[in-house]
Structures are given as structure tokens and as C-alpha cells.
Amino acid sequence: MQVLISIGSNVNASRNVAEAVRLLSQLIDDVHVSEIISTKPFGEHYKNDFNNCLVRGETSLPVADLEQKLKQIEQSFGRTAASKQSGLVPLDLDILQYGEEKFHLRDWQRPYVTDLLPSVLL
């Protein structure tokens, strides 16, 4: 199944995004990665700008299993509800599309998706 995943980080952002791409390439095949861009946060409580990118690839995992693995990766980077509330996001991994089904519909209008999407589509 084709999948599109967004990556974001505003804590050790360059390192965390690069490491997330490496970990995702262990979960999905035929990986295509967009450039990494810096974006202003959506929400006043965030402390720093974000680094964002998109990853497209193929997976045999059911969407629920993939989502669980992404949450485990986030937690391994120190992502907690408390860290997000304090405006610090070590890593945010969201499935934007799984097959034909789209998720996080508000994110599709954000610059990191609209600007980067053409670079990961064939």
C-alpha cells in the first residue's frame, strides 16, 4: 500500500528529522523523501520553528500497525503529551495518506505539505 508520512520536529530538528527518515526507511519500501524545510509553527505555544519533510513509500503493514509503530518512534525521541503542551516537539510523524484514504485533513493546506508534495509524487 502506498503511504505518505509527514515528519516534523522543533527540538534538535535537523538531527531528529534525519534519524526519523532513516527509521522510516526500515518500515517502508521504495522511499522517496522531500527536501527538509523550516516552517513557522501553527500555534503560539510552540517554542521554535519546525523542520518538516514528507516521505512516500510502500508498506505491507495495516494502517493501524503503521500508526502504532510511528507513535513508538515518536516516544523513543521523547515525545509526550507534556512536551507537546510545553511547545516542544522532538518528533511528529503523521500518516497523511494510506492508499486512497487521507488523514490529518487540516495539514494538507499547510505549506510543508503543499510546497513539498510535488517533490515526492511521481
Side-chain angles (χ1 to χ4, degrees), residues 84-104:
K84 185 176 179 181
Q85 283 186 319
S86 70
L88 300 174
V89 181
L91 189 62
D92 183 36
L93 300 172
D94 290 322
I95 300 171
L96 295 179
Q97 189 165 351
Y98 182 89
E100 297 298 317
E101 188 172 1
K102 290 184 177 181
F103 301 90
H104 301 276

Side-chain angles (χ1 to χ4, degrees), residues 10-11 44-48 50 78-90:
N10 73 351
V11 176
E44 295 180 14
H45 71 287
Y46 292 108
K47 307 289 187 221
N48 309 313
F50 280 78
R79 171 87 185 259
T80 64
S83 69
K84 185 176 179 181
Q85 283 186 319
S86 70
L88 300 174
V89 181

Side-chain angles (χ1 to χ4, degrees), residues 7-68:
I7 301 174
S9 175
N10 73 351
V11 176
N12 298 317
S14 294
R15 182 184 57 118
N16 287 355
V17 169
E19 180 64 10
V21 168
R22 186 186 73 76
L23 292 170
L24 285 176
S25 60
Q26 296 174 1
L27 290 177
I28 61 178
D29 298 318
D30 194 25
V31 174
H32 298 269
V33 182
S34 73
E35 69 178 302
I36 298 170
I37 62 171
S38 178
T39 61
K40 296 289 180 197
F42 291 90
E44 295 180 14
H45 71 287
Y46 292 108
K47 307 289 187 221
N48 309 313
D49 289 351
F50 280 78
N51 278 7
N52 296 98
C53 73
L54 299 176
V55 174
R56 178 183 58 84
E58 297 285 331
T59 184
S60 59
L61 291 171
V63 68
D65 292 352
L66 180 60
E67 180 73 20
Q68 180 182 17

